[in-house]
Amino acid sequence: MMKAMEIGSSTHMASGDRDIEDQEAGKRLLGPNSPPTTAVGTPPDAKSQAARMAFCFVGLQVSYLTWGVMQERIMTTKMEPTPLVPDGMFPSATFCVFSNRFFAIIVAAVMCLHLYGTVQTPAPLWYYTPCALSNTLSSWGQYAALKFVSFPMQVLFKSAKVIPVMLMGKFLNNQAYPWVDYLEALVITSGVAIFGLSKERSPNASASEQQTELFGLMCLTLYISSDAFTSQWQDRINKAYETSTYQMMFGVNCSAIILTVSALVLQNELPAVLEFLAANPAAVWNNVVTAVTSATGQMFIFYTIKNFGPVVFTIIMTTRQMISMVMSTVMFGHHITLGSWCGAAMVFGSIFYRIYRKKQEKKARAKNTPKS
């Protein structure tokens, strides 16, 4: 299935590139059965608050910048060929998803045992399967796309997921969005299109090379569409069962582990993967670092939203996207034209405007709310 088509990341909950759903993340961070915590944004003093902010910023940047570099290195670096992998390229995007899920489920189990004394979740495990499947497809598309399109293109394309998020919200949860949300989505999509169409193309590019790039864009479309479904289905689970973040993380990853192992066995990818890893110890290290930074990044996501709210988190992660584009361009030799930079500016400008608008709307609501 996945091989014929051929994931922070990690599970969706670990993905640092949320948009609309970020605004609700802080409200359900640890769930109704969690021990009491400090109120959002109220550390003992300004110095402590600044230290926490720096801790969150550095933690998120180091985790996800490292994760992005390692992700691209896994899927684009030619290593020692083996009999089953003669081209020397990592043979399975599915295994990359599995390795992230494997480590994430350990972290989720430890946190659930620490906070609740059990790994049992309010929702039955089968109820997580739809979003586990979409989450697995999302992560697979994210890894597989790197074989066909550049990492900077992937970063920009992720920003366009606001459109499927809105569509899924409308059809799955009957949510309504103001016209300005649709306008912002249009500008972001236009910026992504300009970025992609402005790249330098070789005059001798073959039809097969163009088809290969088209396939990469299809993988990215699978990524953002599946990711949008994942977030909306998780909202449905939260409304029905009041599941906390760590319980959600554990439930989704339990189903995802079953799905990825089944895919690896059915597609007979394990022999090639194990042979490749045995011949290339660096590939083992790359997968371990990716899984660890995905998990640490997720912990920093939860900590940042808990202490500073989703707006600060979104600003930090948008900054991370910009830095990761520059790092990828320098480290992996991507050439970005002036037109592509203009497209990127449209995307990031729209995102920062969206953050500013949401902040102003929140202030207006707080000002108009009568004090009791």
Side-chain angles (χ1 to χ4, degrees):
M1 178 183 69
M2 296 182 187
K3 183 74 171 179
M5 296 167 58
E6 221 159 22
I7 173 3
S9 149
S10 56
T11 171
H12 166 76
M13 299 302 294
S15 169
D17 303 305
R18 292 175 169 188
D19 200 288
I20 293 174
E21 65 268 30
D22 282 339
Q23 303 304 318
E24 299 298 322
K27 299 178 183 178
R28 59 173 188 268
L29 178 65
L30 294 177
N33 301 319
S34 302
T37 58
T38 304
V40 173
T42 56
D45 52 55
K47 186 177 294 186
S48 174
Q49 185 181 30
R52 289 189 185 194
M53 177 73 77
F55 177 69
C56 293
F57 182 86
V58 173
L60 285 168
Q61 300 295 340
V62 171
S63 294
Y64 280 110
L65 288 173
T66 304
W67 172 81
V69 169
M70 300 308 292
Q71 183 188 46
E72 187 168 9
R73 181 172 295 172
I74 288 171
M75 300 308 297
T76 63
T77 301
K78 185 178 179 64
M79 294 190 174
E80 184 69 28
T82 67
L84 294 178
V85 191
D87 63 356
M89 304 299 291
F90 195 82
S92 175
T94 307
F95 182 82
C96 295
V97 180
F98 165 78
S99 63
N100 282 350
R101 299 299 179 273
F102 182 78
F103 195 81
I105 201 172
I106 295 175
V107 173
V110 170
M111 293 305 300
C112 283
L113 288 171
H114 172 68
L115 292 172
Y116 317 115
T118 179
V119 295
Q120 184 175 355
T121 67
L125 286 180
W126 65 264
Y127 204 68
Y128 297 98
T129 301
C131 62
L133 175 60
S134 62
N135 175 242
T136 301
L137 289 172
S138 169
S139 296
W140 177 88
Q142 186 177 6
Y143 276 104
L146 285 173
K147 289 186 175 182
F148 311 106
V149 298
S150 68
F151 185 80
M153 180 63 188
Q154 185 183 102
V155 170
L156 264 293
F157 205 94
K158 289 178 184 180
S159 303
K161 82 173 185 179
V162 62
I163 297 176
V165 165
M166 292 169 67
L167 292 175
M168 293 292 181
K170 186 174 182 63
F171 291 112
L172 286 179
N173 293 323
N174 199 30
Q175 295 180 0
Y177 301 99
W179 66 267
V180 68
D181 281 345
Y182 291 100
L183 180 60
E184 288 167 351
L186 178 62
V187 174
I188 290 173
T189 305
S190 299
V192 173
I194 291 172
F195 182 91
L197 294 174
S198 298
K199 65 176 290 187
E200 287 187 346
R201 301 182 186 275
S202 170
N204 300 320
S206 64
S208 62
E209 289 176 331
Q210 295 177 8
Q211 290 176 351
T212 297
E213 184 175 353
L214 177 62
F215 183 73
L217 295 177
M218 291 172 62
C219 289
L220 289 178
T221 301
L222 174 67
Y223 161 66
I224 63 173
S225 300
S226 299
D227 202 43
F229 176 88
T230 301
S231 64
Q232 295 298 333
W233 191 268
Q234 287 175 336
D235 281 342
R236 175 174 290 193
I237 295 175
N238 280 316
K239 291 174 182 176
Y241 294 98
E242 294 185 325
T243 306
S244 78
T245 297
Y246 296 111
Q247 290 169 332
M248 179 76 73
M249 181 180 172
F250 182 80
V252 170
N253 281 292
C254 280
S255 294
I257 284 288
I258 296 173
L259 292 170
T260 52
V261 170
S262 299
L264 287 168
V265 172
L266 291 174
Q267 296 172 135
N268 197 30
E269 291 185 352
L270 278 176
V273 170
L274 295 177
E275 180 188 76
F276 187 84
L277 293 176
N280 297 279
V284 178
W285 173 249
N286 291 344
N287 275 276
V288 170
V289 173
T290 303
V292 171
T293 52
S294 171
T296 58
Q298 180 161 311
M299 296 299 102
F300 276 109
I301 285 176
F302 300 157
Y303 184 82
T304 302
I305 294 176
K306 172 186 171 184
N307 285 278
F308 299 102
V311 173
V312 169
F313 164 72
T314 305
I315 292 173
I316 293 175
M317 294 310 291
T318 302
T319 305
R320 189 272 302 181
Q321 286 182 304
M322 298 171 67
I323 297 173
S324 67
M325 278 187 60
V326 175
M327 286 182 60
S328 177
T329 300
V330 173
M331 294 179 66
F332 294 93
H334 302 302
H335 180 67
I336 300 181
T337 65
L338 178 61
S340 293
W341 282 118
C342 290
M346 287 178 62
V347 172
F348 289 118
S350 298
I351 293 173
F352 279 116
Y353 172 74
R354 180 184 183 82
I355 295 169
Y356 172 78
R357 180 173 62 83
K358 293 290 184 182
K359 186 70 173 179
Q360 294 302 112
E361 289 176 357
K362 185 176 180 181
K363 286 182 178 179
R365 285 196 301 267
K367 186 177 181 179
N368 295 330
T369 302
K371 296 182 179 180
S372 55

